[in-house]
């Protein structure tokens, strides 16, 4: 096991972790502020990937297509999320958790069928612009060029989210509402609008995650399943509603998978799950403080 | 003179009567033939299910123009949603309520095996048209199950022989953790050890179905010491598309010769466009551009006229399945299920790739396999297969004795 192989696995694991972080950050944000376990978060991720593909196709191979897709897809999923929140979800916040889970599960079924109607069952490929095709060599290990974009996107999203939550009025209100919803309400703040915005931000991140993976994988129906399960696992391991927890969980998940391959490729599938199970045994409420 | 004429006339009459009695009287079916199709029409595998159904429909247009003994072939479809439980209950409904004459399906090997057991118990003919587990017509085969698709035993043997001939002895197995991934990988390795007993397994890698990011898996193989000489991949559908895309990005196939069953298939390569690597070895049992024969050209032309896209391998299977069904009912001259099974055994049908026989001993269609390597071609906006070699079905199929032994062992 040489240094090159370890570095290579570290970098590809990190890029996977960044995707997981972008998506699970959205999930945990909504969970923290609204207390809604959003089951259709995965569907929005899938829609983000399909929208990015459609936009890139519209540019007919022009390199700007990828960047336009990255810009349009999150906005589109945020709009879908906002629509669902204003029309339906806003009326259900006072219901018990089971109802909210059932509701978001229902929306997931509807969205997934809509995706099938709009984009059909065939899988799609988004070919990145030539400057991002192929791989660069890091200590003799091939690292896909596009993974450099992923490695940059993760920290940018983390910092942007932190600034939003701590430096903007809405962000501060959202955090306050997460801690004590009634108190914020009593202070004369329109909590409903804060919630709508927070939900849209969560959905924006799901779409961004989808658009970011689009050039690296098959864009297909069902791509939401795996990611949804992994995201929930990460959110639980990180501590419900905790953004840094989501980052820690994503790193834990992505890195144990890629480094596990160096140790025992045949059973690498099991590593991330074994590690998360171990973490939950030691810290049942997650790595970081839960917002709940 | 007059008497001689009478005798001649009498002889002629007797001869005519004998000939008439010898030729079968015209049979007319008193109802249409009903085929029940269970397949996946939702989720990622729907691409294959729909393609097969299109091929089946196209064949029915041809068949129903003249009919089968005055009857038309009709069909109903059920969506199993890639679940053996759902598939089995759909098959049950089709047989017990819809009263179909023949069951057809499915892309999911686990579903195919579940329905096969039910078909045996109900004595209903069941034709498997996409799923490739060799157990279907092998260890778990029986009188009522047929296969019109190549299977993992054929693919594994074809690829093992092709790679052994290229002189590789040290292999890495990399596969997706599901029924087909295991079946095709096990078959490849079993035949490799038979063809080349000194073949060495360096290591193996398995990933979950639906794993979106295969970069860590493939870079690890490229970095591993000692290096294998060739890598066999056990994957299909959207999962294989991810393997090929990743290979292209990190330059895997240039470093390590790689083989995947159906890697050269158009249903896999077309959606990838130019994001697929050149030089990956693969096998398939249908290509719309090879063999370049009048029969294949006509099928492709008709299919494109009806559905725009060129046919993939599932469409080919759907098409020949319909023709096998029609021909067997013609030969059976009856709607009786037992006589249909008898007629289908050993039946030869003209197909776009030439005459194909339904082997009587195991009910496996003796389809040829095409072996080649992916390459760019200016005529197409996606990669195609080059250096194609046709491998006759009988060369890679288990012998009837193998089948008998496998079934005895299973019992």
């Amino acid at each position: 096991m040489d240094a090159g192989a370890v570095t290579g696995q570290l970098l590809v694991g990190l890029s996977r972790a960044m995707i997981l972080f972008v998506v699970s950050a959205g999930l945990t944000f909504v969970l923290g502020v609204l207390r809604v376990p959003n089951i259709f978060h995965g569907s929005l991720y899938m829609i983000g990937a399909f929208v990015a593909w459609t936009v890139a196709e519209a540019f007919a191979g022009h390199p700007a297509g990828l960047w336009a897709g990255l810009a349009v897809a999150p906005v589109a999923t945020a709009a879908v999320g906002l629509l669902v929140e204003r029309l339906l979800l806003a009326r259900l916040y006072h219901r018990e958790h089971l109802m909210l889970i059932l509701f978001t599960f229902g929306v997931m079924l509807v969205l997934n069928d809509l995706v099938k109607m709009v984009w059909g069952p065939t899988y799609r490929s988004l070919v990145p612009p030539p400057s991002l095709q192929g791989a660069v060599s890091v200590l003799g290990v091939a690292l896909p060029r596009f993974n450099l974009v992923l490695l940059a996107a993760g920290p940018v999203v983390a910092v942007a989210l932190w600034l939003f939550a701590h430096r903007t009025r809405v962000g501060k209100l959202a955090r306050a509402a997460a801690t004590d919803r009634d108190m914020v309400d009593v202070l004369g703040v329109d909590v409903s609008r804060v919630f709508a915005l927070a939900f849209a931000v969560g959905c924006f991140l799901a779409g961004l995650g989808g658009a970011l993976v689009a050039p690296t994988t098959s864009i297909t129906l069902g791509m939401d399943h795996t990611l949804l399960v992994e995201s929930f696992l990460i959110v639980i391991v990180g501590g419900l509603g905790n953004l840094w927890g989501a980052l820690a969980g994503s790193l834990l998940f992505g890195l144990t998978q890629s480094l596990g391959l160096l140790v025992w490729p045949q059973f690498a599938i099991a590593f991330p799950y074994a590690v998360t199970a171990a973490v939950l045994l030691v810290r049942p409420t997650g790595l970081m403080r839960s917002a709940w | 003179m007059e008497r001689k004429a009478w005798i001649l006339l009498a002889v002629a009459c007797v001869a005519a009567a004998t000939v008439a009695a010898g030729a079968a009287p015209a049979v007319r079916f008193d109802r249409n033939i009903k085929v029940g199709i269970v397949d996946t029409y939702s989720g990622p595998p729907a691409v294959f299910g729909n393609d097969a159904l299109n091929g089946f429909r196209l064949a029915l247009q041809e068949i129903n123009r003249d009919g089968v003994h005055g009857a038309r072939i009709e069909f109903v479809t059920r969506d199993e949603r890639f679940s053996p439980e759902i598939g089995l209950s759909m098959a049950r409904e089709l047989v017990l309520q819809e009263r179909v004459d023949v069951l057809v399906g499915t892309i999911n090997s686990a579903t195919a095996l579940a329905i096969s057991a039910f078909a045996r118990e109900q004595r209903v003919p069941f034709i498997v048209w996409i799923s490739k587990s060799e157990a279907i017509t092998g260890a778990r085969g029986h009188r009522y199950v047929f296969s019109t698709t190549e299977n993992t035993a054929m693919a594994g043997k074809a690829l093992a022989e092709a790679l052994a001939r290229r002189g590789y002895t040290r292999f890495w197995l990399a596969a997706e953790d599901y029924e087909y991934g295991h079946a095709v990988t096990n078959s490849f390795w079993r035949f490799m050890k038979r063809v080349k007993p000194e073949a060495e397994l360096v290591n193996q890698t398995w990933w979950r179905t639906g794993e979106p990011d295969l970069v860590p898996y493939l870079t690890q193989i490229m970095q591993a010491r000692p290096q294998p000489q060739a890598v066999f991949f056990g994957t299909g559908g959207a999962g294989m598309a991810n393997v090929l895309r990743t290979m292209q990005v990190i330059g895997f196939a240039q470093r390590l010769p790689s083989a995947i069953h159906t890697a050269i298939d158009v249903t896999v390569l077309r959606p990838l466009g130019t994001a697929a690597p050149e030089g990956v070895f693969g096998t398939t049992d249908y290509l719309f551009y090879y063999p370049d024969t009048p029969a294949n050209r006509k099928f492709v032309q008709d299919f494109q006229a009806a559905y725009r896209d060129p046919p993939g391998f599932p469409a080919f299977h759907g098409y020949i399945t319909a023709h096998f069904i029609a021909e067997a009912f013609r030969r059976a001259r009856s709607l009786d299920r037992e006589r249909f099974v008898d007629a289908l055994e050993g039946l030869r049908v003209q197909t776009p790739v030439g005459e194909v026989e339904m082997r009587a001993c195991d009910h496996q269609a003796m389809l040829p396999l095409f072996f080649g390597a992916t390459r760019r071609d200016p005529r197409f906006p996606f990669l195609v297969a080059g250096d194609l070699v046709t491998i006759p079905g009988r060369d890679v199929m288990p012998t009837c004795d193998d089948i008998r032994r496998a079934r005895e062992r299973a019992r």
Side-chain angles (χ1 to χ4, degrees):
Chain A
M1 211 186 293
D2 56 301
V6 176
T7 317
Q9 289 305 98
L10 209 59
L11 286 174
V12 291
L14 266 180
S15 27
R16 177 71 191 145
M18 289 305 111
I19 293 278
L20 291 171
F21 167 65
V22 171
V23 177
S24 48
L27 190 64
T28 210
F29 192 66
V30 169
L31 205 54
V33 178
L34 284 75
R35 306 287 157 105
V36 174
N38 184 5
I39 309 282
F40 68 90
H41 200 69
S43 310
L44 294 172
Y45 157 85
M46 174 165 68
I47 291 174
F50 272 108
V51 170
W53 174 82
T54 306
V55 171
E57 283 292 293
F59 278 74
H62 190 276
L66 174 76
W67 305 111
L70 273 173
V72 173
V75 176
T77 54
V80 171
L82 200 60
L83 200 70
V84 173
E85 201 274 347
R86 285 293 85 182
L87 290 180
L88 304 159
L89 191 59
R91 293 153 217 276
L92 298 170
Y93 287 134
H94 58 283
R95 299 290 189 88
E96 66 215 275
H97 273 124
L98 186 63
M99 282 299 291
L100 292 173
I101 289 180
L102 278 177
F103 167 72
T104 54
F105 182 74
V107 176
M108 177 199 85
L109 295 178
V110 172
L111 288 180
N112 288 4
D113 265 358
L114 282 176
V115 168
K116 192 186 169 189
M117 283 160 71
V118 175
W119 285 283
T122 35
Y123 63 86
R124 315 284 182 175
S125 288
L126 200 170
V127 182
S131 56
L132 289 173
Q133 283 174 13
V136 289
S137 178
V138 180
L139 296 176
V141 181
L143 179 73
R145 280 215 174 85
F146 192 78
N147 281 32
L148 299 174
V149 176
L150 301 180
L151 287 171
V156 168
V157 167
V159 170
L161 258 181
W162 186 85
L163 287 176
F164 171 75
H166 293 262
R167 291 282 182 270
T168 67
R169 193 182 129 79
V170 188
K172 286 179 189 167
L173 283 173
R175 277 170 53 233
T179 328
D180 193 334
R181 183 185 307 189
D182 295 335
M183 180 56 91
V184 177
D185 212 8
V186 165
L187 289 174
V189 176
D190 187 351
V191 177
S192 163
R193 278 175 59 187
V194 174
F195 277 16
L197 193 79
F199 194 74
V201 168
C203 298
F204 179 93
L205 290 172
L208 182 63
L212 281 171
V213 292
T216 69
T217 189
S218 299
I219 305 163
T220 169
L221 286 171
M223 67 187 283
D224 54 324
H225 299 330
T226 339
L227 195 92
L228 185 70
V229 174
E230 287 178 355
S231 297
F232 265 105
L233 211 59
I234 285 165
V235 166
I236 292 165
V237 165
L240 297 178
N242 191 314
L243 278 178
W244 301 116
L247 184 59
S250 303
L251 289 171
L252 190 73
F253 209 89
L255 292 179
T256 44
Q257 184 191 39
S258 67
L259 293 175
L261 277 161
L262 287 176
V263 185
W264 202 0
Q266 203 173 345
F267 293 100
I269 301 177
F271 282 114
Y273 297 97
V275 171
T276 46
V279 167
L280 287 178
L281 278 177
V282 182
R283 292 184 69 99
T285 55
L287 288 168
M288 310 267 175
R289 201 170 53 83
S290 163
W292 286 42
Chain B
M1 203 59 190
E2 212 174 306
R3 215 164 89 194
K4 212 172 188 175
W6 273 112
I7 291 168
L8 269 177
L9 192 63
V11 169
C13 280
V14 170
T18 323
V19 170
V27 177
R28 249 193 108 69
F29 289 167
D30 54 3
R31 61 173 176 84
N32 286 338
I33 296 160
K34 195 162 178 183
V35 176
I37 303 173
V38 180
D39 213 336
T40 296
Y41 298 108
S42 53
V47 189
F48 299 93
N50 288 324
D51 197 41
L53 190 60
N54 286 345
F56 188 78
R57 280 206 197 106
L58 179 69
L60 288 199
Q61 281 169 21
E62 298 167 10
I63 292 160
N64 287 340
R65 222 173 285 142
D66 302 322
V68 178
H69 297 306
R72 292 161 49 82
I73 298 183
E74 298 167 345
F75 69 92
V76 281
T77 59
R78 293 288 183 271
D79 184 3
E80 55 136 337
R81 304 204 284 275
F82 213 70
S83 147
E85 290 79 29
I86 299 176
L88 183 59
S89 68
M90 301 273 175
R92 192 168 281 138
E93 187 249 340
L94 286 175
V95 171
L96 302 177
Q97 254 124 63
E98 291 279 336
R99 309 215 158 271
V100 297
D101 296 292
V102 182
L103 279 173
V104 170
T106 153
I107 181 156
N108 185 335
S109 289
T111 309
L113 287 166
I115 297 180
S116 171
F118 169 72
R120 176 186 217 169
E121 165 199 310
Q122 293 287 321
R123 301 169 182 273
V124 180
F126 172 43
I127 305 179
V128 178
W129 67 2
I130 313 180
S131 47
K132 303 180 191 304
S133 170
E134 63 197 79
I136 294 167
T137 54
R140 289 161 76 178
H142 53 81
R143 174 168 163 82
Y144 299 95
V145 71
F146 294 83
S147 168
T148 51
T149 171
E150 94 289 9
N151 62 32
T152 49
M154 296 160 74
K157 188 172 182 201
L159 282 170
E161 284 179 351
L163 292 193
R165 219 174 295 130
R166 284 184 153 71
Y168 305 128
T169 47
R170 291 145 40 71
F171 296 91
W172 192 297
L173 305 177
E176 205 171 316
D177 184 20
Y178 71 133
E179 165 81 25
Y180 169 74
H182 283 278
V184 75
T185 308
N186 290 344
S187 160
F188 169 79
W189 192 243
R190 196 174 69 235
F191 283 112
M192 182 53 82
K193 290 301 276 183
R194 200 181 293 176
V195 181
K196 201 172 223 184
E198 72 274 24
E200 184 198 332
L201 180 60
V202 177
N203 210 336
Q204 43 187 320
T205 305
W206 293 84
W207 58 85
R208 282 173 315 154
T209 315
E211 176 63 59
D213 187 9
L214 292 169
V215 176
Y217 295 87
L218 297 197
T219 49
Q220 191 269 326
I221 300 174
M222 278 171 86
Q223 293 308 310
R225 298 285 177 277
Q227 280 276 285
Q229 289 170 324
V231 184
F232 176 85
F233 285 90
T235 175
M240 159 143 52
N242 276 346
V243 172
L244 291 175
R245 184 182 293 107
T246 307
M247 277 183 166
Q248 160 75 353
V249 170
I250 62 175
F252 189 92
Q254 288 96 295
R255 279 266 297 275
L256 289 168
S258 307
I260 321 177
H261 178 49
T262 73
I264 58 171
D265 197 87
V266 63
T267 52
V268 171
L269 291 174
R270 197 159 170 271
L272 277 171
T274 52
E278 287 193 286
V280 175
F281 298 117
T283 33
T284 183
D285 70 347
Y286 183 72
L287 293 165
F288 73 88
Y289 48 85
Y290 183 90
D292 194 9
T293 55
N296 197 16
R297 274 200 298 269
K298 180 177 182 307
F299 170 57
V300 174
Q301 232 165 42
D302 293 350
F303 191 89
Q304 283 193 298
Y307 310 107
R308 206 166 49 89
D309 292 336
F313 74 91
F316 165 72
H317 293 155
Y319 184 82
I320 68 170
T321 300
H323 281 291
F324 267 114
I325 292 173
E327 241 352 272
F329 273 114
R330 271 189 203 117
R331 207 163 86 162
R333 303 164 56 76
S334 158
L335 288 166
D336 181 61
R337 288 167 178 169
E338 299 299 327
R339 288 173 67 176
F340 172 82
V341 170
D342 291 339
L344 193 47
E345 288 186 336
L347 185 66
R348 288 158 186 267
V349 163
Q350 286 303 330
T351 79
V353 301
E355 192 180 69
V356 172
E357 181 184 333
M358 180 60 77
R359 193 160 75 171
C361 74
D362 61 349
H363 296 183
Q364 173 65 47
M366 304 179 74
L367 292 157
L369 285 186
F370 308 114
F371 173 84
T374 56
R375 71 153 183 233
R376 284 167 203 264
D377 184 324
R379 287 176 300 158
F380 301 102
F382 47 88
L383 273 71
V384 294
D387 306 323
L388 280 160
V389 181
T390 305
I391 307 164
R394 71 171 59 78
D395 290 0
V396 285
M397 283 167 72
T399 64
C400 287
D401 276 344
D402 289 341
I403 297 286
R404 195 171 36 77
R405 273 195 296 273
R407 289 187 186 177
E408 270 164 16
R409 239 177 293 137
R411 235 179 273 132

